[in-house]
């Protein structure tokens, strides 16, 4: 990760996912924040995780860090879950987004992001909902679609 951070600094922002099965490694958030500071890339990183407690811990360690919660099921209170984790963005799998949820997330001052968007039709559906960012296994295809559709992403974290 340190090598990737060194290479990416000033070139491309990084989305770093804290993983763990069933739990994250103890102290991983501290180690990650130390690396972010060491490489001076705080404004070039977002830390995301299905482990919302890890997101919260990372944000506690570095309040200036952009963070996001991942999930793959409908939440009872999406914005409440994001607030509880001190997250800046909500990042479920694409199929959980509705226009109403995008509006709710935006009204709460959060960023809306979707992952595993691998078709133009799905990308168009999400862009039309007002989604802020999309993760795809085929970013080149997504860029081609956006260009052809005359669309440009807003700057979002």
């Amino acid at each position: 990760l340190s090598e990737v951070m060194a290479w990416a600094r000033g070139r491309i922002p990084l989305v770093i996912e804290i993983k763990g099965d069933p739990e994250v490694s103890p102290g991983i958030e501290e180690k990650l924040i130390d690396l972010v500071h060491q490489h001076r890339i705080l404004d070039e990183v977002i830390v995301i995780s299905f482990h919302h407690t890890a997101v919260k811990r990372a944000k506690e360690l570095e309040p200036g860090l952009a963070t996001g919660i991942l999930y793959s099921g409908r939440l009872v209170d999406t914005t409440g879950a994001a607030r509880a984790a001190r997250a800046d963005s909500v990042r479920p799998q694409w199929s959980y987004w509705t226009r109403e949820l995008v509006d709710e997330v935006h009204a709460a001052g959060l960023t809306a992001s979707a992952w595993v968007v691998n078709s133009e039709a799905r990308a168009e559906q999400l862009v039309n909902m007002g989604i802020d960012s999309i993760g795809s296994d085929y970013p080149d295809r997504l860029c081609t679609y956006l260009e052809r559709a005359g669309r440009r992403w807003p700057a979002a974290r």
Side-chain angles (χ1 to χ4, degrees):
L1 181 57
S2 184
E3 290 175 16
V4 170
M5 288 178 167
W7 175 88
R9 184 173 176 233
R11 288 185 177 157
I12 187 168
L14 296 176
V15 179
I16 301 171
E17 182 179 346
I18 297 175
K19 295 187 177 264
D21 186 18
E23 294 297 324
V24 299
S25 296
I28 193 72
E29 303 92 346
E30 288 84 354
K31 291 175 184 175
L32 177 56
I33 298 305
D34 286 346
L35 279 174
V36 166
H37 286 155
Q38 178 183 343
H39 289 280
R40 300 183 313 275
I41 58 170
L42 181 62
D43 293 335
E44 301 174 51
V45 163
I46 181 168
V47 172
I48 63 175
S49 186
F50 284 97
H51 296 278
H52 299 180
T53 54
V55 171
K56 182 179 180 185
R57 179 70 182 135
K59 191 71 155 193
E60 289 169 350
L61 292 167
E62 177 46 76
L65 181 70
T67 59
I69 58 169
L70 296 167
Y71 59 92
S72 60
R74 297 219 185 270
L75 301 180
V76 172
D77 182 1
T78 300
T79 56
R83 284 189 190 109
R86 300 184 60 193
D88 304 295
S89 65
V90 174
R91 310 171 80 82
Q93 194 260 353
W94 68 265
S95 63
Y96 296 104
W97 282 112
T98 64
R99 179 63 192 193
E100 295 75 23
L101 183 57
V102 171
D103 292 344
E104 175 189 326
V105 165
H106 286 159
L110 302 167
T111 300
S113 182
W115 44 272
V116 192
V117 179
N118 290 331
S119 75
E120 287 188 13
R122 193 70 60 223
E124 183 174 25
Q125 175 189 11
L126 291 162
V127 168
N128 288 337
M129 282 183 202
I131 207 86
D132 297 301
S133 67
I134 292 176
S136 176
D137 293 328
Y138 307 102
D140 56 330
R141 295 179 195 170
L142 182 60
C143 288
T144 299
Y145 154 71
L146 291 171
E147 199 172 289
R148 191 174 59 252
R151 306 229 181 191
R152 188 168 181 272
W153 282 120
R157 278 179 93 178

